[in-house]
Amino acid sequence: MNITKHLSVYKGLPKNIYILFISIVINKFGGFITPLMTLILTVKIGFTESQVGLYTTIAMFSQLPFIVIGGILVDRFGGKKVIVSLHLIGSLFYITCGMMKPDLTVLILIIMASNIYAMASPAFNALVPLVTPTSLTKNAYSLVYLGLNLGLAVGPLIGGVLFNNHLNLLFFIDAFTTISSAGLILFFFSNDNGDRQLETDKIIKQENNKADTIFSFLLKNPSLIIFSFILLVYNFCYIQWNFMLPLQTVALLKEIGPKIFGFLITVNAITVVIFTPLLTSLTQKMPPLKSVFIGGIFYLTSFMMFALSKFTLMFILAIIILTIGEILVTINSNNYIAKSTPSKYMGKVSSLLFIVNGMGYAIGPVIMGYVIIFTGFRNAWFIVSAIMLCSVISMYFASHIEKKSRRISS
């Protein structure tokens, strides 16, 4: 295998993308709290599985208006200002949490911080196509995604080790890395917007010259709406590895459960680091929706393995398979949105994508939290697998329809 050939997909990108990459690596290196959220609620605060599902859903739904506002702020003030200001504010909440014992007040502060970070989230997706030539957009998203997981390759492993005795320290480190990454964006990220998707804008403007608002644009592009709904189901299933799996590891492995789950998160991140350049290179000419469909098949396979697993080695293999699907879905869903959206709507459409993600992430835990109580982990994973199968079939037809429409238009 020629590693240099596959890594070459990251050559020639704008300087801003490399700055964004380094900033994300620093931020996610200290991203302890979000991956360990389920364990904080159960082990430290003492909630039951159903209560964790309910509170997680409340937290996710509370983010939705903040994501919408974030998209509007990005289109109005620019992604750089949004990222820097909101990340600084969010880190203050984590610093406050680090001074307190885990209780309901800490949960509220974590939710508030998450809402602030969620408000900034559309800015990252919106910045990429605005500073990158259209032909390199997929490669840029791939590098940004790789940076996210380079940080996660180390952070959660440290978090799992320090979780039992040094939770307060994790809050402080998380806040410090967030402030450091925001400073990097502030001082080194240029306001130069590159080609601002001029090629894409020209094509879309010709086809949608009456689309004066985001709503009229979406009405003229129903494929984006259909894709978003299917992706919602994808995310409903995907979030279960962050909700059901940590509960399952604790149930099976007792005291060492948090450390094992932290290790699984690290396996996830290392797999992303290894496979992202390879998959980006191999799928360079593959239509985005087809890649998302294939990614869904990997999801489905991993969920079936979680249902049948009773030991750590099988969990590790399932995580690797899940992560390959995650890479294909994440990179190509962002690329599909970017190629289908003019730059003046990128902030709002990116916020729509985050809302879809948030909806799937929000309803997943509360529903499956009750399912676990009545059916147990094995049957719950079978149910998730059945739902995933339906969404994979739907994505196949969406990809097939898009392929036909491209042939007609050409």
Side-chain angles (χ1 to χ4, degrees), residues 186-381:
L186 176 63
F187 293 109
F188 296 100
F189 192 93
S190 169
N191 286 319
D192 178 19
N193 283 335
D195 72 347
R196 294 185 61 87
Q197 265 195 319
L198 291 179
E199 298 169 30
T200 303
D201 286 358
K202 183 178 179 181
I203 296 172
I204 295 176
K205 185 176 180 181
Q206 291 173 351
E207 297 177 353
N208 304 280
N209 53 15
K210 294 182 180 180
D212 297 323
T213 69
I214 182 64
F215 300 104
S216 58
F217 168 72
L218 289 174
L219 288 175
K220 289 180 176 292
N221 294 271
S223 58
L224 281 173
I225 300 176
I226 295 171
F227 171 77
S228 297
F229 276 111
I230 300 174
L231 195 62
L232 186 151
V233 183
Y234 265 55
N235 292 327
F236 173 94
C237 298
Y238 172 81
I239 194 60
Q240 301 309 327
W241 94 268
N242 271 315
F243 174 68
M244 286 170 53
L245 193 58
L247 298 175
Q248 190 175 4
T249 54
V250 170
L252 290 174
L253 304 168
K254 308 304 178 185
E255 291 81 5
I256 66 170
K259 293 181 180 179
I260 295 299
F261 183 66
F263 174 73
L264 292 177
I265 296 176
T266 298
V267 171
N268 168 258
I270 292 174
T271 305
V272 169
V273 172
I274 295 173
F275 281 93
T276 296
L278 174 63
L279 292 174
T280 302
S281 176
L282 293 177
T283 63
Q284 194 74 23
K285 297 181 180 181
M286 184 180 293
L289 290 189
K290 184 177 180 180
S291 296
V292 175
F293 159 71
I294 295 173
I297 295 176
F298 280 94
Y299 278 0
L300 176 60
T301 304
S302 68
F303 298 149
M304 290 297 295
M305 293 178 68
F306 289 140
L308 301 172
S309 297
K310 292 184 179 180
F311 52 92
T312 305
L313 185 60
M314 187 66 76
F315 281 156
I316 294 173
L317 181 58
I319 286 293
I320 293 172
I321 293 173
L322 172 83
T323 307
I324 292 173
E326 176 190 335
I327 295 168
L328 292 171
V329 171
T330 303
I331 294 174
N332 288 282
S333 58
N334 287 330
N335 188 40
Y336 177 72
I337 293 292
K339 286 188 173 182
S340 306
T341 308
S343 59
K344 68 176 180 178
Y345 297 135
M346 274 306 302
K348 297 183 183 69
V349 173
S350 293
S351 69
L352 172 64
L353 185 61
F354 275 98
I355 287 174
V356 168
N357 289 341
M359 287 286 288
Y361 295 157
I363 61 179
V366 69
I367 292 176
M368 297 311 298
Y370 286 104
V371 170
I372 291 171
I373 293 175
F374 292 107
T375 68
F377 289 106
R378 178 171 180 161
N379 289 332
W381 281 118

Side-chain angles (χ1 to χ4, degrees), residues 44-61:
K44 293 295 185 180
I45 301 181
F47 290 155
T48 65
E49 287 86 350
S50 59
Q51 287 175 323
V52 172
L54 178 60
Y55 280 112
T56 302
T57 295
I58 292 173
M60 290 292 185
F61 272 115

